[in-house]
Amino acid sequence: MMALDPDLARTWLTTAVEEARASLAEGGIPIGAALYGADGTLLGRGHNRRVQDDDPSVHGETDAFRAAGRQRSYRGTTMVTTLSPCWYCSGLVRQFGISRVVVGEARTFHGGHDWLAEHGVEIVLLDDPECVALMTDFVAARPELWHEDIGDDAPGR
């Protein structure tokens, strides 16, 4: 697989950012994602819907993955996400053999992207200012919802 052109990575990130903004507008957590095929085709897009759907399993990456429908193979596909993927979403990437993850930012949450890289997944970390601002503002405004989303509300943690 060829290295991803940085301009293309940023173009693809705009799709995920649109999804993150849609989630925020719906009263949800502003994390968006998109799954692109090896040929650059947008296969699916989505956003964190755990608040909107009252379903803790609908993260941005899982929503985009589900929207893509069944694929014969995920080899060569790229998951684009506004925030470093949590362990749950990192597991999805590994389980289905998604080849690359474009991460908008990892400042507000450093998920499993290092683990993915250790297991052969190409990671493109963009450190995008818009993604950082979206999450920083959200965490400041809704810390209880954010901590619930990342599973950080359990006693003893």
Side-chain angles (χ1 to χ4, degrees):
M1 191 167 73
M2 290 180 41
L4 184 62
D5 174 71
D7 291 335
L8 182 57
R10 292 200 176 277
T11 297
W12 285 356
L13 182 63
T14 61
T15 303
V17 169
E18 287 171 5
E19 288 292 326
R21 291 199 174 286
S23 184
L24 187 62
E26 295 167 359
I29 297 160
I31 301 170
L35 183 64
Y36 283 89
D39 65 355
T41 301
L42 176 61
L43 301 174
R45 57 189 292 166
H47 54 268
N48 187 302
R49 305 181 67 80
R50 65 187 315 275
V51 172
Q52 300 91 313
D53 294 356
D54 196 29
D55 181 347
S57 70
V58 188
H59 289 201
E61 297 89 340
T62 60
D63 197 34
F65 181 76
R66 290 173 179 163
R70 287 178 57 200
Q71 303 295 314
R72 184 176 172 280
S73 170
Y74 294 89
R75 183 172 294 122
T77 61
T78 300
M79 179 66 75
V80 182
T81 180
T82 56
L83 185 66
S84 179
C86 69
W87 288 111
Y88 169 60
C89 295
S90 294
L92 178 142
V93 168
R94 284 286 314 280
Q95 173 72 29
F96 292 96
I98 294 170
S99 300
R100 178 190 296 129
V101 178
V102 173
V103 178
E105 70 104 346
R107 286 192 215 176
T108 52
F109 180 75
H110 193 105
H113 70 266
D114 292 335
W115 175 75
L116 288 171
E118 290 168 10
H119 289 88
V121 177
E122 180 188 347
I123 302 298
V124 179
L125 180 55
L126 297 177
D127 196 29
D128 181 77
E130 185 175 9
C131 291
V132 172
L134 265 171
M135 284 311 301
T136 302
D137 292 349
F138 179 77
V139 172
R142 300 292 309 273
E144 73 294 337
L145 187 55
W146 170 241
H147 289 288
E148 174 191 321
D149 189 62
I150 59 172
D152 194 25
D153 64 339
R157 283 201 186 183

